[in-house]
Amino acid sequence: MAFQPVKFYQTGTFTVGNRLLAAQERSVQANMRRTNSLNSGHRACQGCGEALGARYAIDAAMEATRNRLIAANATGCLEVFSTPYPETSWQIPWIHSLFGNAAAVATGIAAAMRVKGQNDVRVVAQGGDGGTTDIGFGCLSGMFERNDDVLFICYDNEAYMNTGVQRSSATPPAARTNTTMPVGQELGNRFGQGKNLPAIAMAHEIPYVATATVAELHDLEAKVKTAMGIRGARYIHILVPCPLGWGHASHDTIRIARLAKETGLFPVFEATQGEVTSVSRIRRRQPVEAYLRPQKRFAHLFGDPPNSAVIAQLQALADRNIRRYGLIEPEAA
Ligand SMILES: Cc1ncc(C[n+]2csc(CCOP(=O)(O)OP(=O)(O)O)c2C)c(N)n1
Ligand code: SF4
């Protein structure tokens, strides 16, 4: 079939990545010749944010490297739904690591490419929040500390989804998981727990750290492109709602991701050598309730009467992020 830059029925919609924009402003996803790195036929749930995030990120990395890319993948939903042996949806050189050592495997691949003189071949490691913030954390911190030439991407769905929704150190306070059930005085995951991996990555003063959500395609792609233009250790943390674990409608994945940003609960920013260099401002500020209510993992907060004290604690966390990262234009605050 002849190449069609714009299909008549696809013009002007967000889903095709703005094909009506000038060619250089269009998203990678708008290009019908994109790699489709994570191809159709995988077994992710309907509306899976992780599947979407991985396709966006790896297609952008493939374009940025002119298809000279190898990915190492920690065990987790992304690996399990994409690669039930002997099948795979990956259209790129891809290696499965253990649950905890994707960063170390990627470091080894980068070293091998250097020894072979193939410096144009770039390496991405990727995994869920469990494989990043918990069991994979030691390998990842070592990768940061040595400034290995790897981009690590965390697809954060805020729990261990692959094994049935257990708490991770990225699970937010008050969320219900199968290991943080609301029972009596216990209202889901505790406050004061958890790890802020983007901040920890920044503390290593690596060349590039960024956060993104699947709701902002252009922003996500731009950050991957920036990361691939830099040598050394880089980290991108992408919020990827999970309809199964979070208990929201599968068609709401993008809306929920956008609300995470618009409430301030998930700050979207970039940092270089430990300093924040840009933030995505909140466009239409929303109360945290707008984000929490559509998710069954927070349903216990909205009984009769609702648990206003816990909702206020969560609002305080969002407000702190807004202050800390300057997420609202000063005149609009
Ligand atoms: C050493 C080890 N312990 C436990 C497991 C079982 N396991 C596989 S994936 C997984 C959870 C993955 O969670 P996460 O990294 O958050 O990714 P998600 O599935 O949520 O995308 C666990 C516990 C394992 N594969 N290896
Ligand atoms: S459980 Fe969640 S992360 Fe895993 S495939 Fe389903 S929607 Fe995606």
Side-chain angles (χ1 to χ4, degrees):
M1 188 183 85
F3 176 63
Q4 293 172 275
V6 178
K7 281 191 179 174
F8 175 69
Y9 60 85
Q10 290 175 321
T11 54
T13 73
F14 285 121
T15 48
V16 294
N18 313 115
R19 282 196 172 113
L20 283 186
L21 292 175
Q24 68 278 9
E25 290 171 22
R26 292 179 203 159
S27 67
V28 175
Q29 289 302 312
N31 184 350
M32 286 189 287
R33 290 178 171 166
R34 68 182 183 266
T35 329
N36 274 327
S37 314
L38 180 61
N39 216 347
S40 56
H42 59 68
R43 299 170 188 192
C45 309
Q46 192 177 26
C48 172
E50 189 164 67
L52 205 56
R55 183 157 63 89
Y56 290 171
I58 303 300
D59 277 354
M62 284 290 276
E63 184 175 280
T65 60
R66 297 170 191 242
N67 300 348
R68 303 285 282 164
L69 188 79
I70 299 175
N73 208 133
T75 316
C77 264
L78 180 60
E79 177 265 331
V80 170
F81 72 62
S82 67
T83 315
Y85 181 82
E87 298 160 3
T88 183
S89 289
W90 292 102
Q91 308 294 305
I92 60 166
W94 180 94
I95 183 169
H96 170 222
S97 72
L98 299 178
F99 183 22
N101 70 348
V105 169
T107 289
I109 297 168
M113 290 299 124
R114 197 173 61 245
V115 168
K116 287 162 76 78
Q118 296 189 18
N119 287 323
D120 60 324
V121 178
R122 308 301 301 281
V123 185
V124 165
Q126 52 184 357
D129 46 293
T132 305
T133 67
D134 293 336
I135 193 170
F137 181 68
C139 290
L140 182 60
S141 176
M143 187 201 106
F144 289 160
E145 178 268 321
R146 293 184 302 269
N147 200 24
D148 294 327
D149 190 21
V150 173
L151 167 63
F152 193 103
I153 303 176
C154 172
Y155 303 105
D156 183 7
N157 54 26
E158 302 187 329
Y160 292 20
M161 297 312 180
N162 175 52
T163 39
V165 195
Q166 295 89 18
R167 173 194 185 276
S168 82
S169 55
T171 300
R176 177 210 66 193
T177 67
N178 279 327
T179 46
T180 57
M181 283 293 184
V183 179
Q185 296 300 307
E186 298 296 331
L187 289 164
N189 195 32
R190 290 184 187 170
F191 279 80
Q193 310 292 310
K195 287 183 202 166
N196 181 341
L197 227 289
I200 295 170
M202 283 169 65
H204 288 73
E205 303 200 356
I206 57 175
Y208 187 70
V209 173
T211 64
T213 79
V214 284
E216 306 275 349
L217 173 59
H218 283 273
D219 178 71
L220 193 165
E221 290 184 349
K223 285 169 176 167
V224 172
K225 187 176 176 192
T226 301
M228 296 320 293
I230 298 170
R231 292 278 173 177
R234 291 142 286 143
Y235 179 73
I236 300 185
H237 191 105
I238 305 175
L239 187 74
V240 292
C242 163
L244 183 137
W246 296 16
H248 61 78
S250 53
H251 60 254
D252 263 349
T253 295
I254 299 297
R255 187 168 77 91
I256 298 286
R258 184 167 294 124
L259 281 166
K261 183 209 156 205
E262 295 293 287
T263 53
L265 283 171
F266 186 83
V268 177
F269 65 92
E270 288 176 296
T272 305
Q273 314 284 37
E275 308 267 350
V276 174
T277 51
S278 76
V279 297
S280 296
R281 306 253 196 219
I282 290 172
R283 277 185 248 167
R284 290 180 203 88
R285 189 176 184 180
Q286 300 282 331
V288 293
E289 199 176 323
Y291 170 74
L292 304 172
R293 253 191 201 278
Q295 304 180 49
K296 290 204 182 89
R297 65 179 174 156
F298 295 111
H300 53 281
L301 302 180
F302 296 98
D304 187 16
N307 194 325
S308 312
V310 173
I311 296 168
Q313 269 181 288
L314 291 164
Q315 184 64 56
L317 292 179
D319 295 347
R320 187 190 65 185
N321 284 339
I322 289 169
R323 275 196 311 278
R324 187 178 277 174
Y325 291 92
L327 298 177
I328 293 185
E329 298 280 358
E331 64 274 17

